[in-house]
Amino acid sequence: VQLQASGGGLVQAGGSLRLSCAASGRSFIERPFNTNSMGWFRQTSGQGREFVAAINFSGDLPYYADPVKGRFTISRDNAKDTFYLQMNSLKPEDTATYYCAADMSAYPSGLESEKWDYWGQGTLVTVSS
């Protein structure tokens, strides 16, 4: 499985960014993209990976961490094997490397990083004050 994250960058506080994650690979042939849960995590230096948002296989059930509720929106386009994280009203504390992840089940097995099966390479988001 390959997960390619993109869309990170430098933005001022209050601004917006949209992250994308494109999925490909053999496992998505055996178990198609539209049957799996997808998610976003973030990590800062010296910290573990923190859950940000996840979405079920069909895209009608999102999950959010409390710090991002009302500001971030996760979505997916199953026709393109791609999912997204729209981040609005960004704060300096949102600064982190953001990782996309796949859980090869219809609904997330859990929100802990160790429950997720595959990971992208990370994209850096920096929010200046």
Side-chain angles (χ1 to χ4, degrees):
V1 170
Q2 287 84 45
L3 298 173
Q4 183 68 44
S6 61
L10 174 64
V11 63
Q12 288 188 332
S16 298
L17 281 175
R18 188 194 195 204
L19 305 184
S20 300
C21 184
S24 63
R26 181 174 180 175
S27 292
F28 284 121
I29 296 174
E30 297 170 345
R31 188 183 165 93
F33 177 81
N34 63 5
T35 65
N36 304 306
S37 299
M38 310 305 290
W40 291 95
F41 290 74
R42 64 188 181 187
Q43 186 171 22
T44 55
S45 179
Q47 302 294 319
R49 287 188 185 179
E50 173 191 28
F51 169 75
V52 175
I55 194 164
N56 71 327
F57 73 105
S58 59
D60 60 354
L61 186 59
Y63 307 77
Y64 296 101
D66 287 342
V68 307
K69 281 181 181 176
R71 300 188 298 122
F72 290 11
T73 301
I74 189 170
S75 62
R76 64 191 295 162
D77 185 342
N78 285 343
K80 296 181 179 179
D81 290 357
T82 301
F83 65 108
Y84 309 93
L85 185 69
Q86 177 67 43
M87 305 186 294
N88 299 329
S89 302
L90 282 161
K91 305 175 181 180
E93 52 263 43
D94 293 319
T95 295
T97 298
Y98 284 70
Y99 295 88
C100 56
D103 179 353
M104 307 302 275
S105 60
Y107 296 87
S109 301
L111 305 182
E112 304 84 357
S113 60
E114 57 267 23
K115 296 288 182 67
W116 290 73
D117 299 307
Y118 298 102
W119 295 87
Q121 84 288 3
T123 184
L124 179 61
V125 172
T126 302
V127 184
S128 63
S129 57

